[in-house]
Amino acid sequence: MRKRLIIWVCCMAGMVCSAVAQGKISGRVYDSKTGQPIEYATVAVLKVKDSALVTGTVTEQNGTFSTKADYGTYLVRISFMGYQTYFHPSKVVLSAKNNSANLGKISITPSAVMMDEVHVTAERTMVEYQLDKRVVNVDKNLVTSGGTATDVLESVPSVSVDNDGNVSLRGSTSVKVLINGRPYEMMGNDLETLLEQIPASTVESVEVITNPSAKYDPEGMSGIINIKLKEKTSGALGLNGVANLNIGGPLPFIVPDPLPSIIPTTMGSLSLNYTTEKYNLFFTLDGGMRSRGSHGHSNIERLRGGNAWSHDTIDQYSLRNNYMGSMKVGGEYYFDNKNSLLFSYQLRGGNRKRTSQIFSTDLLFDHMLDYTQTDTNINRNINHVFNLSYIKKFDEKDRELTADATFSMRRVAGNGRQEQLYHDTMYSGPELFGNPMWDHYYLRETETRNRHQALNLKVNYVHPFAEVWKLETGYEGRLDWPNQNAQYYRTEYDATSHLPYRYFDSVSSTHFDYTQQTHGLYATVGGKFTDKLSAQGGLRVEYSYLHGRDINHPNTEPVHKSYWEPYPTLHLSYEINQQNSMQISYSRRVRRPRMWDLNPYLDVREGQEMSFGNPNLDPEFTNAFELSYNLGLDKWNIYTSAYYRQTNNMMTRYGYVWDSVSRERYSWWMPYNPQYDGYWASTWQNLDKGFNYGLEFIIDWQVFKWWKLNLSLNVYHSTIQGTQLLDNKSQEATQASGKFTSFMTLPKDWTIQFSGQYFAPWLDLQTTMFSSYWFDLAVKKDVLQKRGTINIRVGDIFSTGGWGHTTYTEQLNREVRSRRISPTITIGFSYKINNGLKQKQQVEDDEDSGSEIVY
């Protein structure tokens, strides 16, 4: 009677009664000849009476498996393609006295059929949905062939990248980007440069985490994007590798003057992997040149007191040449089945050159002022990254301790040159350089020498308990020591004396010494209340400290901030059945100002524009809620997500015409420099609040066996509320963005992929971005018995890709439109080195495996 009462109480608490009367069957599966663990082997639990299937599972990467079954007597069958089917020699009995049966080490034997070569193909779905993230498998995305990580992100649902390299998620640029789980700052230069330096062929997948758990850094209002790079080329023993080479660029007859007629792109990579039972060695080498051209037109009217002060029309031709190279070497040593140590070193370098030619006509009431401007910026960067990782596994399944330390050193040397030649139709003085077209001259030169050291430490411990629950806790620390040194020089030409004179611009020059530390402790608890209901709750507490001072201007007030903040998270998942599931999640997130957001040094750019940081800028905090539903049908998978985000103290760019009055109002911390009167100045300001809510749909459709479609649509509404400093201005709009990918597998090893993207207009407090759309086409052909692959890609096939924005304020009316030079054509070749194919394998055709065997 007492036992029945206990069971009844458990049921009333929401637990499944049958869970009390269940036991666990576990074990580990190995290859009888090599002793290697076998992943994805099928474990079936059968009835003794008629061998009917009761339940089953597949083995993990280390060969282990675990499954539950009601109390009773069973047979256990293990099968895997290429191996003889294994039946456990004794019956397995689960009872109240013995509710756990560990079958120990199970060795299965390869079948007797011998073959020289076997290709096993199994297509992964493009998007995998997990409790707290979506995993987008991009390693076979044809339209990114020959491209970089920028092209990869542009193909990911919910993600977009603008022309300036700003990454946005669901329409928000406040997103944290990681490379292999580490902040991108540790991997190279700024994000735009780094994405252009990573070949697409080295990217395996992209994790989109819109509502991360407390385990992850809370940085980023809209979530986290983790770019996972390929570490190993194969799990087989011996030497394996993959080599890629891609060459392309736009067609010469579509490139306008004054850009060069040939804008080439060449990307190559080599990945080698040597694996034994005790260690794994890997080596990767990649590099090449990526060039991009664009043509833009701007119409800019500046106002004072409601009256036109200047009116510029500008044509700009830009060329970006990015030379990059990377080498990574490392190894992992397996002390035993439970302990391993990994060390790696990466050297990444690049040389980036951007050249712009600007032709402008400035209408000044009763006369015209024409000028040409040439901007040249060259940045050379080199980055060293050292990583040490230790993994300890325990006898208990899923119990694990990991420790990771990454140290990086980066050096960036840059030179900038902005040269202007003016011609005033009302000017009657001497000619400049003996040319009647020019009578005024201006040259601004920049020398930058930046250093950045960073140390990232993380310790994570996972402890399972009560069979279906798991505790995960740890520490994560980030220490940064960047140093920014930018020296400015001005050269002007005296039309009277006909002599140039050069002087040091002490006001604009800066030497900013900066230190930032973030220390976080976190813990999450997750598991199952029932077979259908899962939950995970977590809390992360962080302490942040930063200090910066300008050595060039010791009288300016240093930047100093420190604060403690909690970041709670909650995830609930309910599996209605095998085809239907729901998730509810909440997280508190932060967006911290970066060093260059706080440093008030002047960055003067083309078109009489300048920007600088705000040392009084505070971080913004976001409360994010999300409800998602996943429906799986025979040929369909439909993912729907409704989300809501409220951001307090929101950070935004804010611009105005520079003069003594605007300086006193918006940027009183900046020294007044009258030589830039009339320039459009922008800096960071804190708003009051921002709201963002919307619906996202992702559809995977297997139209036919040879044709797959993926479609995504994001419809959202944004509201921005300003502060009293910004005249309590507000903005709101409803927008939509979408992507689609069509993937066709044709006979004779041909594959065709066609994709398109549309991004709705985007806005902030002052600016509205134009919508943009483009289409890409790619064709792939396997050759050399599937060891080689030829890719042909046509990017922006209809030449519709472009960008632009409008700004309308009391001081500025501006419209900017720009288009990249397209379409571009890229031809690539990939070759698998060994890839385990030379190893003799004993296989048989297992009809139940669900895989395709190609001889």
Side-chain angles (χ1 to χ4, degrees), residues 290-364:
R290 176 71 177 268
S291 300
R292 288 186 174 184
S294 63
H295 171 223
H297 179 80
S298 304
N299 199 329
I300 304 174
E301 183 183 36
R302 293 178 174 85
L303 307 171
R304 284 186 176 180
N307 298 317
W309 177 68
S310 69
H311 189 178
D312 302 334
T313 59
I314 298 175
D315 283 291
Q316 180 175 350
Y317 300 85
S318 297
L319 178 65
R320 300 183 182 186
N321 292 321
N322 189 12
Y323 302 85
M324 76 289 289
S326 173
M327 182 271 293
K328 185 174 184 179
V329 61
E332 185 173 11
Y333 183 77
Y334 312 106
F335 296 97
D336 48 42
N337 290 333
K338 298 183 176 63
N339 294 271
S340 64
L341 183 68
L342 181 145
F343 173 78
S344 67
Y345 165 72
Q346 183 180 47
L347 173 65
R348 182 180 296 278
N351 190 324
R352 185 182 182 191
K353 181 178 180 180
R354 177 181 178 180
T355 303
S356 297
Q357 284 189 279
I358 298 174
F359 303 92
S360 175
T361 298
D362 192 352
L363 305 176
L364 293 176

Side-chain angles (χ1 to χ4, degrees), residues 156 445 454 584:
V156 174
E445 297 171 289
I584 301 176

Side-chain angles (χ1 to χ4, degrees), residues 430-475:
E431 299 172 353
L432 189 63
F433 305 130
N435 189 331
M437 286 298 298
W438 310 116
D439 43 54
H440 293 79
Y441 177 75
Y442 163 82
L443 173 64
R444 188 172 192 268
E445 297 171 289
T446 310
E447 296 179 1
T448 57
R449 300 293 183 268
N450 300 333
R451 304 192 312 273
H452 191 173
Q453 288 81 235
L455 175 65
N456 201 81
L457 302 172
K458 187 169 185 177
V459 179
N460 189 76
Y461 175 68
V462 182
H463 187 89
F465 62 96
E467 294 190 357
V468 292
W469 289 85
K470 183 171 64 175
L471 168 68
E472 190 165 5
T473 184
Y475 159 81

Side-chain angles (χ1 to χ4, degrees), residues 385-396:
V385 180
F386 303 86
N387 176 245
L388 186 66
S389 299
Y390 171 72
I391 300 177
K392 178 176 178 56
K393 298 181 179 180
F394 299 84
D395 291 335
E396 189 175 1

